[in-house]
Amino acid sequence: MTYDVYMHFPVIAIMTLFVGAFLVTLVGKRQAARNAIAGAAVLVSLTLLALLIKPVMVDGEIIMYWMGNWEPVEGYAIGIAIEVDALSLFFGLLITIAVACSAFYSFQYIKQDDARGSFFTLYLMLSGGVLGIVLSGDLFNIYVMLEVMTFAAVGLTAFRTWNPNAREAAFKYLVVGSIGSTCALLGTALVYAQCHTLNLAQISAILPGELNPTTVLAFALLFTGFGCKSFMFPFHPIAADAHGAAPSSVSVLISGVFTKTGVYGIIRVCYFLFRSMGLSSVQIMLVVIGCISMFVCVTMALNQHDFKRLLAFHSISQIGYILTSLGLCTGLGIAGGLYHAINHTLFKGLLFLTAGSVLYATGTTYLENLGGLAKKMPKTTALFLIGAFSISGIPPFNGFYSKWIIYQATFEKAAETGSIGYALVTVVCVVTSVLTLASFIKVGHSVFFGQLRPELAEAKDPPLGMRIPMWILGGLCVFTGLFPNVMLDYIIIPATGAVFNAVPYIDTAMGEGYAAAHLASTSPFVTPNYTLLGGWDPLAWLVLFVVVLAAVFLCSLAGRSNRDVNCAPDSKHAVFFGGEEAQYSHISGGDLFWGFKHTMRRYLGFVSGAHTGVTNDYVLWGVTATAVIIAYCFAFML
Amino acid sequence: MNKKWKRDDLIVRSLADSYLPIALVLGFYVILHGNISPGGGFQGGVLAASGVLLLYLGYGFKGVATAVNMERMHKLEAVGAIAYVLFAMLGIFCGYNFCRNVLWDSGEIGDVWSSGTIALMNYSVGFKVLTGVGFLLLLVIALLATGEDEEHSGTITTTEHEELERGKGK
């Protein structure tokens, strides 16, 4: 075995976070020491993973690390492994970036809260658990880390214990989340019974091609387990509750990081362990679940009256994009899905942090109580606009490029298979994107634009310590949108290649030729093809954007003299308001798109009514989903 | 719970007195011999932590609160976890992998001290579980005790917020 220093980096990156969590407990009430430890822990783990980009992403190396040097004996991997290929590193990087930004934001943000001592313990535990999942090469370790992560997240959701909503949300999260954990554990046990090993690489070599009832059940259970962790369709209401109640910096983790472990798990299960993505039934299952998630959640988001709940539903909607794209099983599809995964972490992180800043400044996130904050919080407004443009897929921001790839991937899949269904998927994707834009117009209008509410006159931008992490995320949103080729070449394409080709992953762990000896019976996936139908030149779009913006600006300047700039309430308008003087007439966000909402009232009413907020109902949904997925797998996979 | 029930029952107290050393000795025995006999740090830690419950049964909340410092127990749990990671890190310091047993050729097979780092890591797990489970039991007991005025004075603060409130009250 060749010895390199960077072999130790993954395990140290995970352990730094855990040791940081315990050290935070030790220093107790000293706030400066607490912040220093937490900041150092997240920065060290970010740096260590960033140093791995060169060997793993560029040189295509796979880091295989046997804990305690327990290497495989006689073809059986008994030891616990950490295996970092390009896919693991991709998720590890996006996790550590979000964790670092959010941690630095929290230093200032949680100053208003009590029980600050335990915040960073749980926060670092959650980060360590998440990082452990994506870097681990052992199925049972993934389950253990899943539990660490879930319980830390439940604790953080209930962090503001004075808020009854937070306690309720944490309880729902605990109950529904344990459905997912149970499914994952049962699936792991069945896989272990079948393969007599828990090493991911060895299972990936032995298991594929042996679809008997046990393995199909294991597949369905693992899929549901990780799907629950990614909050896919029937599990989504708990995410909305949790995001609404948790502190914003925790929402960043739950939305941007926690859900990604579910996506990562689904990729590992479908593309590696069972290699079942070649079956069209599995592809259709993922695509359908993705489409339902994105459409249902975006329509739910249109109806929300709370900033953070709205963002939460959008979060699941974007996860729907990722699942759909991953379900296509084409090079373009996976590249689009992974690209959207990193973009989602960046822009949703940014949006949750702006929501947190609004809460910090005004004490509320209820859309009807906000308005006109652009005058008081211009910097936050600028950041919100970056995030909103990114998530709505407006060029030149990053959401556009990944959505563009996803549209093309679905369309190419339709052309390839000749089925009208995949063309419909493209339509659903585009419609969802439009509805996303619509709901962000609603948020922008009711929070940042329009008339300033009199009671918000005291609001001001958050302190610099909170703005810097937001600017970093905003800058990354713009960077990933403007230089997609850099992202594709160095990050996305290596990760996509790793998804398609499990052979190096298996061979690095089990020795040369192991994969060839065991995998011969299963057909490998088609070589990925990344060519896009149409060109996307971000600079050309940026020029167009600037020209349009300049034109709008000029027009508005030209009409300035004719306009009543002050917009002061004028008694001459009183007749239009029933003869009384209108003191305040803010058009609230709920008033926008009333025509659309009225036309769709049956559907929207039905969807809203279905989200009862009762834990029992959500458990019923979860159990039903598990049953349906198991039945589907038995019907179409065997 | 019936509030008139007296905690300082002679029978319960003398049984607690006699079982407490047994629980502790058994717990520490299982931790110490974790590497050569069934059981280990986790099981032994839980057994030893049951001493907290016995104390509570015999002496009530006040007795536990005076005998055990809850805040210190909470911090010692973190020490146990950090000790585990440090022993695991010894592998990296000695040029092997994480968790590698670097003192593996220590002692005769069958001796208590025969498994090198494994035993040390086992002891840290035992320490962590002993303090962690003990802390959890204390937390539950403290929650039970808040209802009774007589014993309320011994309540241990769990959040800084509560502490602030109490400071204001004084």
Side-chain angles (χ1 to χ4, degrees), chain A residues 1 3 8 11-12 15-16 18-19 21-23 25-30 34 64-70 114-118 161, chain B residues 71 74-79 81-82 84-86 89 91-92 95-101 118 128 157-164:
Chain A
M1 190 185 104
Y3 180 81
H8 294 302
V11 74
I12 297 178
M15 279 307 149
T16 315
F18 280 118
V19 171
F22 298 126
L23 282 178
T25 315
L26 269 187
V27 301
K29 299 193 180 81
R30 272 158 289 178
R34 224 158 44 200
M64 190 68 223
Y65 193 84
W66 296 100
M67 300 282 237
N69 294 72
W70 288 100
D114 46 349
R116 295 187 292 272
S118 48
T161 36
Chain B
E71 190 62 31
H74 184 45
K75 289 192 173 168
L76 284 177
E77 186 192 355
V79 172
I82 292 171
Y84 180 90
V85 179
L86 282 185
M89 282 278 190
I92 295 183
Y96 305 105
N97 278 6
F98 190 77
C99 279
R100 164 84 189 208
N101 187 356
I118 304 285
K128 187 191 150 46
T157 50
T158 48
T159 64
E160 287 170 34
H161 181 69
E162 277 178 28
E163 197 155 290
L164 280 175

Side-chain angles (χ1 to χ4, degrees), chain A residues 62-64 66 72 83 85 199-205 272 501-519:
Chain A
I62 292 174
I63 294 178
M64 190 68 223
W66 296 100
E83 186 159 17
D85 64 348
N199 188 279
L200 285 182
Q202 198 181 357
I203 298 171
S204 316
F272 284 78
N501 196 358
V503 174
Y505 187 79
I506 296 165
D507 279 354
T508 320
M510 305 303 300
E512 257 344 282
Y514 192 86
H518 289 82
L519 267 182

